Amino acid sequence: MKTAKRIIGIVFLIAALILTIVISVTAMTKEREIPLMADGSLSKKEAEAFIEELQKKDLGSLIRDVNELDFSKTEEDKIYYYYEVIKNKLRDASAEEISSVISSPETKDDVKINILTLCEAEGIILDYDGLLSLLEQDTVSAPVKNLLLDLLTGKGDNYADLLEEKALSADDAIIQKALSDLYVLRPDTAVEIADSILSDLSGPFSAKIKAALLTKAIALQENPSDREIEKFVHICDHMLKNMSASDEEERNATVIASLAQLENRISFSYLMSLEGENYEDAKSFIVYENKNVVDALFNEKPDADTVSLILKAAPYYFPNEEIVENIQKYLEKNAEYFEKNKEQKDLLAGVIQYAAES
């Protein structure tokens, strides 16, 4: 009798397990169901047949298909169905299989980027160690390498040594990303590398110099020091005036952006002192980035330098009504000073008059 009961219990247990599995599979099927595009070029029947055809293929075959697609000539709904089917295949594939597909020379770079981005968005685990070879391949584009560096940075300190190695030795294509990503994990080390690069300005402006400049600017923005900012301004001044560059516009833009983001009076004053057509075009951007610095000037006691800086910034300040109101209040609040310094008062009043006439 006990044996019979035990057998009956086992049968019921097996039945329950089977039911659970059926329910799980059904739920999974519903979860993986690909909704049809309402306004697609394919009819419902055609779309279902197309999806079924795609689902029969393995991940590698689907990626090879996508490599050959001409996206400008392929219907939007077909691209969507490829994306959805590949997403489901990625969820079921092993990390090693996915990394193998991404690393394959047959997989185009834009497809590599799409797979990496998709996996990150969907929380699909990747075998990052299996992807490191991409960083060494000359045939792999910088955008792929830079995206991979970003993803490695997101894994915490696991790949910090690799980022440090790349920040010290990487080629021009990825050194900027390597150094900026290293700053996220090891800021002190990244700043040390940047300082070392900027200690030798005898050569031309390069990707390495650019990387160091931008990293140092981020560090100074987060931990400002007047002394360090003065040194940085001196370095930037040397670059603009003495450092050769294959692309002078890029050099100038990098230097100006690096200084502008500091939002510091010292760096702002230097930028507004630059003369020449190339720099005039950038001053609206400089003032916009340093609006807080300009606004703070109106809370300081007036002197010749402060008034001069306000006058330099005024033509580029937006909106005009706000700068006019600030100047009016500034003149009223410091009436005694401006009675003794009428030339400065007249110059500021001229800004108000110009704004009223324009």
Side-chain angles (χ1 to χ4, degrees):
M1 189 69 175
K2 289 183 178 178
T3 303
K5 288 182 178 179
R6 187 177 296 116
I7 292 172
I8 292 170
I10 291 171
V11 170
F12 274 112
L13 178 60
I14 292 172
L17 287 172
I18 291 172
L19 181 61
T20 303
I21 291 169
V22 169
I23 293 172
S24 299
V25 171
T26 302
M28 186 179 297
T29 302
K30 288 183 178 179
E31 183 185 345
R32 296 292 179 82
E33 185 179 347
I34 297 173
L36 303 182
M37 285 184 66
D39 55 351
S41 61
L42 300 177
S43 67
K44 179 181 178 182
K45 186 176 180 180
E46 289 172 330
E48 289 173 342
F50 184 70
I51 293 170
E52 185 178 354
E53 179 187 342
L54 294 182
Q55 288 175 329
K56 291 177 182 177
K57 298 183 178 184
D58 61 23
L59 181 60
S61 298
L62 287 167
I63 298 303
R64 284 191 290 274
D65 284 355
V66 173
N67 278 327
E68 301 303 320
L69 282 182
D70 183 342
F71 287 93
S72 64
K73 297 179 181 179
T74 304
E75 295 93 331
E76 183 180 344
D77 48 348
K78 284 190 176 182
I79 295 173
Y80 163 75
Y81 296 136
Y82 263 110
Y83 177 88
E84 290 297 324
V85 173
I86 289 174
K87 180 170 69 176
N88 288 341
K89 296 285 185 182
L90 288 169
R91 286 172 173 165
D92 294 331
S94 68
E96 292 76 14
E97 182 183 356
I98 299 171
S99 295
S100 176
V101 169
I102 296 172
S103 300
S104 172
E106 295 178 1
T107 304
K108 291 182 178 178
D109 280 3
D110 57 346
V111 179
K112 292 182 194 292
I113 289 172
N114 287 332
I115 298 174
L116 286 168
T117 305
L118 175 57
C119 288
E120 181 68 13
E122 294 293 323
I124 297 169
I125 297 173
L126 293 170
D127 171 25
Y128 285 103
D129 288 346
L131 292 171
L132 297 182
S133 62
L134 292 173
L135 298 174
E136 310 304 328
Q137 296 176 26
D138 294 337
T139 54
V140 175
S141 66
V144 174
K145 294 179 179 180
N146 287 336
L147 174 57
L148 179 55
L149 288 174
D150 276 344
L151 295 177
L152 295 176
T153 304
K155 303 307 164 187
D157 204 50
N158 295 342
Y159 294 96
D161 288 343
L162 174 68
L163 288 171
E164 183 173 345
E165 175 193 330
K166 294 301 177 186
L168 288 166
S169 62
D171 59 28
D172 290 354
I174 66 170
I175 189 168
Q176 183 178 326
K177 177 57 67 177
L179 191 54
S180 62
D181 282 347
L182 178 63
Y183 183 81
V184 174
L185 299 178
R186 295 178 180 173
D188 291 344
T189 302
V191 170
E192 286 176 11
I193 293 173
D195 285 340
S196 176
I197 293 170
L198 295 175
S199 67
D200 180 8
L201 302 177
S202 58
F205 189 80
S206 63
K208 182 180 287 190
I209 293 287
K210 180 179 179 179
L213 197 65
L214 294 173
T215 299
K216 184 67 175 178
I218 293 171
L220 288 174
Q221 184 182 31
E222 294 183 355
N223 298 290
S225 156
D226 285 353
R227 181 172 175 274
E228 287 297 313
I229 289 174
E230 285 174 357
K231 289 168 61 178
F232 189 61
V233 167
H234 180 74
I235 288 171
C236 291
D237 184 62
H238 174 85
M239 289 182 184
L240 291 176
K241 295 177 180 176
N242 303 304
M243 184 174 278
S244 62
S246 57
D247 187 339
E248 291 189 359
E249 286 187 8
E250 182 190 22
R251 178 201 63 193
N252 294 354
T254 303
V255 171
I256 289 170
S258 299
L259 288 169
Q261 75 179 56
L262 300 183
E263 296 184 55
N264 178 274
R265 174 167 174 165
I266 295 169
S267 52
F268 178 65
S269 179
Y270 169 76
L271 287 170
M272 297 308 293
S273 72
L274 294 172
E275 297 180 353
E277 186 177 344
N278 293 335
Y279 304 124
E280 288 303 316
D281 293 340
K283 285 189 177 176
S284 292
F285 163 77
I286 294 166
V287 172
Y288 176 81
E289 289 291 300
N290 287 267
K291 187 175 183 295
N292 290 338
V293 176
V294 179
D295 291 344
L297 295 174
F298 294 105
N299 295 319
E300 296 181 12
K301 291 183 178 180
D303 56 34
D305 287 340
T306 302
V307 172
S308 175
L309 196 50
I310 290 172
L311 290 168
K312 288 176 181 177
Y316 309 99
Y317 191 100
F318 184 83
N320 288 343
E321 297 83 1
E322 188 173 326
I323 191 70
V324 167
E325 183 180 347
N326 286 340
I327 290 175
Q328 287 173 333
K329 291 180 179 178
Y330 189 60
L331 289 171
E332 292 169 5
K333 185 170 63 175
N334 300 284
E336 184 177 345
Y337 172 85
F338 285 112
E339 281 305 311
K340 297 177 181 177
N341 296 273
K342 290 189 176 182
E343 184 178 352
Q344 294 176 31
K345 179 180 179 180
D346 291 342
L347 289 171
L348 290 170
V351 173
I352 297 174
Q353 183 177 352
Y354 178 81
E357 293 173 352
S358 58

